[in-house]
Amino acid sequence: MYFFNLKALLLDLKHNNVTEWESALYVVIPVVIMAGYSLYSPHLDGLESLADNVIFLINFIILFLVNGGNNGKNFLIKYFSLSWVVGWRVAVFYLIPFTLVFFGLMYFVFPDSLKNDTYGLLVFGIAFEVFYLFFMVKAFRATLQKVVIAYD
């Protein structure tokens, strides 16, 4: 199971070397993490929950089409394994720096009325999903190429 090594995962997906056990882990571990998060997280705003669900569906459909739609192969194995690795990479290399800048601006530059702004957090969540979708599309396209590009 990979966490950051996207190039090795792309090669394994390209050559069908992802085992059933690994693909099950790519599904089960995020589900357990999200279940734990939902138990201990504060209640989400209705607008934020709706936006999250809509964005998830749009991303899923876009990635399904990028994979070839009905003619694509191994979509769910690719989806879950790539979403795990790309999610970690986006979180560490893009989300953490973006979070520092975003919340730094929100707390030190903008007035106090914006500190608890739900719409600011909604924009923050959408920005993360756009980063995530961009890199997921790039990874899906790499699995469809004859030669896997040097993806770092």
Side-chain angles (χ1 to χ4, degrees):
M1 183 168 186
Y2 299 106
F3 281 85
F4 290 103
N5 194 347
L6 187 57
K7 185 176 179 182
L9 177 60
L10 289 171
L11 287 171
D12 282 352
L13 287 170
K14 185 78 175 152
H15 299 293
N16 294 324
N17 290 337
V18 177
T19 65
E20 290 297 316
W21 174 249
E22 288 173 323
S23 61
L25 286 176
Y26 284 121
V27 174
V28 170
I29 292 173
V31 167
V32 169
I33 290 171
M34 292 307 292
Y37 173 76
S38 66
L39 288 174
Y40 297 106
S41 69
H43 182 64
L44 295 176
D45 184 290
L47 178 63
E48 190 175 353
S49 295
L50 176 65
D52 286 344
N53 292 331
V54 168
I55 289 170
F56 170 78
L57 288 173
I58 290 170
N59 286 356
F60 194 83
I61 291 168
I62 289 170
L63 293 171
F64 180 76
L65 295 174
V66 167
N67 191 53
N70 286 335
N71 298 325
K73 294 182 179 167
N74 301 325
F75 173 71
L76 290 177
I77 291 173
K78 289 178 187 178
Y79 178 79
F80 287 113
S81 59
L82 288 173
S83 67
W84 176 257
V85 175
V86 170
W88 277 108
R89 290 171 63 103
V90 168
V92 169
F93 299 118
Y94 297 96
L95 184 63
I96 292 173
F98 186 75
T99 301
L100 294 174
V101 170
F102 182 82
F103 285 113
L105 288 173
M106 185 175 272
Y107 283 98
F108 297 115
V109 176
F110 294 119
D112 289 335
S113 63
L114 293 178
K115 287 184 180 178
N116 296 318
D117 184 21
T118 302
Y119 297 112
L121 294 175
L122 181 64
V123 169
F124 177 76
I126 290 170
F128 170 74
E129 291 294 335
V130 169
F131 275 121
Y132 174 77
L133 179 63
F134 172 78
F135 290 107
M136 282 292 287
V137 166
K138 189 174 176 180
F140 261 86
R141 286 186 178 154
T143 65
L144 299 173
Q145 295 174 351
K146 299 257 185 223
V147 178
V148 175
I149 58 172
Y151 195 109
D152 290 319

